[in-house]
Amino acid sequence: WCDWRSNHLPYLTMKTAAALIALAAGASAFTSTKPAPRSTAVRAVMDEWDGSIDLRGKEFKFDPLKLSETYAPLMPWFRESEIRHGRTAMLAVVGFIATDFVRLPGEMYSFESIPKTVDAHDALLRNGPMLQLLLFIGLFDFVITCPACVATMQGEREPGDFGWTKFAPSDPAKMQKKKDSELLNGRLAMCAIGGIATQSVITGHGFPYI
């Protein structure tokens, strides 16, 4: 046994090494020799979209989940949703603060009926026009928003563009600045409305919610 082992061990060792090399070579045939870094792919996708800046106007591409790479075909939908939520949040911030000082005429909207703005939802859902508002918003989305989103996904329309550009600047550079400002203000407003509602519930006070 010892003689056989001493005579055949080098041969077996060489066969094992050759088999491992062959397996490694076969596996490498199915992999890229120079895989592109994920960050590079994300930057390439986000370069095509407005809003990759911070409040100082510097480049800022925040995508920790790599959604712009993993779901690149859905980027138009993501941007449409961001703009839509940002616009809604900006209106919500103004409305939330304004109604602590000014109310619509009518008993149901008075400060006696609704002392705090944060209570308006439940109060007007029971005795107000909340259901009608839901119906009108749903109708708007069905007639206008849904076809617009389909056109966006087909490349026929820019996200968020409803053609309301009567007062838009004619200079492309100024128009680009307006687009970036809308995105940045919308992002800030989405954070702000969450903080306003939370503070109002916690403190029980209106503006400035402390």
Side-chain angles (χ1 to χ4, degrees):
W1 165 254
C2 292
D3 292 340
W4 183 91
R5 183 178 180 183
S6 62
N7 292 333
H8 290 80
L9 184 59
Y11 174 72
L12 294 174
T13 303
M14 291 177 63
K15 285 185 65 177
T16 303
L20 291 174
I21 292 172
L23 287 173
S28 65
F30 295 96
T31 60
S32 173
T33 56
K34 293 182 179 181
R38 289 178 64 84
S39 60
T40 303
V42 170
R43 292 172 65 88
V45 173
M46 296 184 72
D47 282 341
E48 301 176 3
W49 296 92
D50 301 326
S52 298
I53 57 174
D54 59 16
L55 295 174
R56 302 167 300 169
K58 304 295 183 180
E59 182 181 284
F60 181 67
K61 297 181 178 179
F62 181 75
D63 187 16
L65 299 180
K66 305 295 187 294
L67 297 179
S68 62
E69 176 187 354
T70 309
Y71 298 99
L74 293 179
M75 282 293 288
W77 171 257
F78 293 157
R79 176 46 52 86
E80 182 78 31
S81 300
E82 181 183 27
I83 294 175
R84 170 70 178 269
H85 285 87
R87 290 169 178 171
T88 303
M90 286 187 281
L91 291 173
V93 169
V94 174
F96 216 115
I97 295 174
T99 48
D100 279 332
F101 303 96
V102 181
R103 297 289 177 85
L104 293 173
E107 177 62 27
M108 72 171 63
Y109 306 113
S110 66
F111 288 98
E112 290 75 18
S113 299
I114 308 175
K116 296 181 298 181
T117 301
V118 74
D119 298 326
H121 176 272
D122 291 346
L124 296 178
L125 188 61
R126 291 191 299 267
N127 302 309
M130 292 297 288
L131 294 178
Q132 290 92 325
L133 285 174
L134 177 63
L135 177 63
F136 293 147
I137 293 172
L139 184 63
F140 179 89
D141 283 341
F142 182 75
V143 175
I144 297 178
T145 306
C146 289
C149 290
V150 171
T152 298
M153 295 303 294
Q154 293 176 347
E156 301 172 358
R157 166 186 174 271
E158 288 190 14
D161 183 9
F162 287 96
W164 298 342
T165 57
K166 182 176 180 179
F167 300 103
S170 57
D171 184 3
K174 292 182 179 179
M175 185 63 179
Q176 183 61 48
K177 187 175 181 179
K178 291 289 185 181
K179 289 181 178 180
D180 292 337
S181 296
E182 180 185 35
L183 284 168
L184 292 174
N185 289 325
R187 292 166 185 170
L188 179 61
M190 285 187 277
C191 296
I193 192 61
I196 289 173
T198 301
Q199 280 293 107
S200 184
V201 171
I202 292 175
T203 64
H205 298 153
F207 185 82
Y209 316 108
I210 56 176

